[in-house]
Amino acid sequence: MKGLVLFLLTTIIFTGSVAAIEKPRPKITGAFWQLHAGFFGRGEAYFEEQVDLMYKAGIKTIVIQDTAGDNLATYARSNQAKIKIEGPFGPGTHTLLIKKLPVTVSEIVTDGFFAYEIISPEPSPFLGDYGYKLIDGDTSIYGSVGWIDDGISKEVKININLEDEVEYIEVYFMTTNADIERDDVVLDGKCGEIFLVNDDLTQILDAAKKRGMDVWLGTKFSDTWWGDLFEGQKEIQDNIRTVEDLERFYGHYENLTGYYIPHEFRPDWRPKQNTEFFKELVNSLKVYNRPLAIAPFFRIEMAVKDHQDFWETFLREVDIDVLMLQDGIGSDASRMEKILPHYKMVQEIAHQKGIPFWSDVEVFHVEVPDRPAVSADMSKVKKQLETQAPYVDRIVIFDWLHYMSPLTNEKAKMLYEDYLDYINE
């Protein structure tokens, strides 16, 4: 009997130990990208590498923090666009109509052999056609054909003569502020989709799409948000126009998952005004049928009950789809355990509303107050992940480009490599 008891105890202890060993470690599932001027224009290969490094670490969601500010849009920065019309198109002559003047066409591309003929009107003498400029592979201004607005012509007509069936036809344009519309281009009565060429967001979305990764695009953020000069109605209208543009240029991407509203707030800071602002903004953006996410901050000095009262009111009024909380540990490591009662409470409220609750984990560390942040050590990040995981549905980090990408600096590279070791142990 004693032997049987010993055997059972040993089995229970061993089984429990195996269960403890096999319990999956909490992982980072997504990352913010603070995509400011220093990262623009790096090229397709650069963003391919960034996205691939994330993918290899199992990080499958990108959240672009914002795409416009008061004086600058960080989307549609390309001076070239293409319209892609899906086929198939059979052998023979197909008529391309471009219902816009003036216009400059750089190239026509398809997956088969073809010839073209400009029917009307005559191109501009300064950007004339020599019978091959639209198939020479040169998409610069020197290899382009242009038409002026002569006040008479209403459209450009080009015949495309195919030898065999092709799956698609692409028409490339030189543009100013991507001023070509998909409806401006018609091939045999069909419109296509617009793609921006050499555009940063296009390159990021393409790289993520190849790897089955989701992308959230941040909307417009005004620096006046933090002060008394903030104009809520103007900001709402600016955000609506921004999302209209984002839909125009990127809405056809299946991996464009939703929009992130970048206006950070605290529950104890102008709660009534912020609730009203988000309610109207969210209601305005719901027409695009995409999920909307926010990532506010909170002070641990705020009583949990007061924090709870705010979120019950806010989530009753504001129809958001994903709620994240910034853990705030990058600037204040003493918050590590103190935030957990707040997280537990917010998770319960969010789940009652059917809203996923994520943690926005700060993977930076402020070593000296008022000095630039640096990448955190993995020992600290590990504790953030493991303490927060029981109270959240997903974990995303702030931010990839500055603090975890091995392309940034040695300390970020060390965090990335240590994280790979952590998830593979």
Side-chain angles (χ1 to χ4, degrees):
M1 185 67 179
K2 289 181 180 179
L4 178 59
V5 171
L6 181 61
F7 171 78
L8 291 173
L9 287 172
T10 303
T11 302
I12 292 169
I13 292 170
F14 176 78
T15 304
S17 299
V18 170
I21 293 171
E22 292 180 349
K23 183 178 180 180
R25 291 186 165 192
K27 296 181 176 65
I28 299 167
T29 65
F32 276 87
W33 281 29
Q34 194 175 36
L35 191 65
H36 56 62
F39 295 102
F40 290 125
R42 297 288 190 96
E44 182 180 358
Y46 174 78
F47 289 120
E48 281 278 349
E49 188 174 5
Q50 290 281 17
V51 173
D52 197 53
L53 287 164
M54 285 183 60
Y55 180 79
K56 289 176 179 176
I59 304 174
K60 303 293 183 64
T61 296
I62 298 171
V63 184
I64 305 295
Q65 187 179 25
D66 57 65
T67 57
D70 291 320
N71 302 308
L72 177 69
T74 57
Y75 61 86
R77 294 167 56 86
S78 172
N79 63 356
Q80 195 170 72
K82 71 178 181 182
I83 303 289
K84 183 174 184 178
I85 307 104
E86 296 287 353
F89 298 99
T93 299
H94 301 267
T95 301
L96 175 68
L97 300 178
I98 304 171
K99 302 178 179 182
K100 179 182 178 62
L101 290 170
V103 69
T104 302
V105 181
S106 303
E107 198 78 2
I108 299 174
V109 176
T110 187
D111 57 338
F113 184 79
F114 72 99
Y116 72 92
E117 179 185 6
I118 296 174
I119 304 301
S120 63
E122 284 292 321
S124 164
F126 301 103
L127 288 175
D129 179 52
Y130 308 126
Y132 61 84
K133 286 177 75 174
L134 299 185
I135 56 174
D136 63 357
D138 183 359
T139 59
S140 72
I141 191 66
Y142 304 105
S144 301
V145 181
W147 288 263
I148 62 172
D149 185 357
D150 58 11
I152 301 172
S153 304
K154 301 299 183 183
E155 62 189 18
V156 173
K157 182 177 180 180
I158 302 174
N159 281 347
I160 299 174
N161 303 303
L162 300 174
E163 284 197 1
D164 302 298
E165 181 176 283
V166 300
E167 295 301 318
Y168 64 89
I169 292 176
E170 297 175 338
V171 187
Y172 285 71
F173 298 86
M174 301 294 294
T175 67
T176 302
N177 297 324
D179 56 0
I180 193 79
E181 299 284 353
R182 62 184 298 273
D183 296 339
D184 292 333
V185 181
V186 180
L187 181 64
D188 292 351
K190 296 177 65 175
C191 295
E193 295 289 355
I194 186 168
F195 294 82
L196 301 180
V197 180
N198 298 323
D199 170 72
D200 300 281
L201 292 185
T202 297
Q203 292 166 351
I204 294 167
L205 282 157
D206 279 335
K209 181 180 177 181
K210 292 175 188 176
R211 296 161 178 84
M213 296 169 61
D214 298 329
V215 178
W216 294 68
L217 293 180
T219 61
K220 185 255 182 182
F221 176 75
S222 172
D223 288 332
T224 63
W225 169 253
W226 305 113
D228 296 331
L229 299 178
F230 178 68
E231 300 178 56
Q233 287 302 312
K234 179 180 183 302
E235 186 73 350
I236 288 169
Q237 294 306 311
D238 287 350
N239 270 263
I240 292 171
R241 284 191 291 270
T242 297
V243 174
E244 286 175 351
D245 284 345
L246 295 176
E247 284 289 323
R248 173 189 170 201
F249 297 121
Y250 313 108
H252 51 273
Y253 279 95
E254 295 177 0
N255 61 328
L256 173 52
T257 302
Y259 292 113
Y260 169 71
I261 301 174
H263 303 74
E264 300 173 10
F265 65 92
R266 301 192 320 260
D268 62 332
W269 174 60
R270 62 184 193 199
K272 186 175 185 297
Q273 297 93 320
N274 288 336
T275 300
E276 292 172 352
F277 169 77
F278 274 92
K279 180 179 181 178
E280 185 171 350
L281 177 56
V282 166
N283 288 343
S284 299
L285 299 183
K286 281 290 179 177
V287 297
Y288 299 103
N289 296 317
R290 295 192 191 274
L292 302 172
I294 60 173
F297 180 75
F298 70 97
R299 296 171 65 247
I300 54 174
E301 293 80 9
M302 185 178 189
V304 174
K305 181 61 170 66
D306 294 338
H307 198 185
Q308 178 179 347
D309 291 343
F310 170 82
W311 283 113
E312 287 177 342
T313 300
F314 186 91
L315 295 179
R316 184 171 59 249
E317 296 290 323
V318 183
D319 188 19
I320 61 163
D321 300 284
V322 174
L323 171 61
M324 316 177 210
L325 282 187
Q326 300 176 35
D327 71 358
I329 292 172
S331 302
D332 182 4
S334 70
R335 290 169 57 97
M336 188 77 70
E337 304 288 343
K338 298 174 184 176
I339 65 172
L340 300 183
H342 297 265
Y343 266 52
K344 182 176 184 297
M345 173 271 297
V346 176
Q347 184 191 51
E348 290 173 354
I349 296 174
H351 284 183
Q352 289 170 7
K353 303 286 186 181
I355 299 171
F357 176 53
W358 303 359
S359 182
D360 178 6
V361 171
E362 296 176 347
V363 293
F364 59 84
H365 176 65
V366 178
E367 295 181 343
V368 180
D370 300 323
R371 295 295 300 273
V374 298
S375 302
D377 294 332
M378 186 59 214
S379 58
K380 180 182 177 184
V381 173
K382 176 183 176 183
K383 190 170 184 182
Q384 288 170 269
L385 301 179
E386 292 179 349
T387 56
Q388 295 172 32
Y391 306 105
V392 299
D393 303 308
R394 289 185 59 183
I395 291 174
V396 299
I397 62 164
F398 187 89
D399 86 302
W400 168 263
L401 292 175
H402 291 84
Y403 305 115
M404 196 167 176
S405 167
L407 304 182
T408 299
N409 54 43
E410 284 301 313
K411 196 155 181 63
K413 182 180 179 182
M414 182 181 299
L415 176 58
Y416 177 80
E417 292 176 348
D418 287 348
Y419 178 73
L420 290 183
D421 290 341
Y422 163 79
I423 61 174
N424 290 324
E425 285 178 1

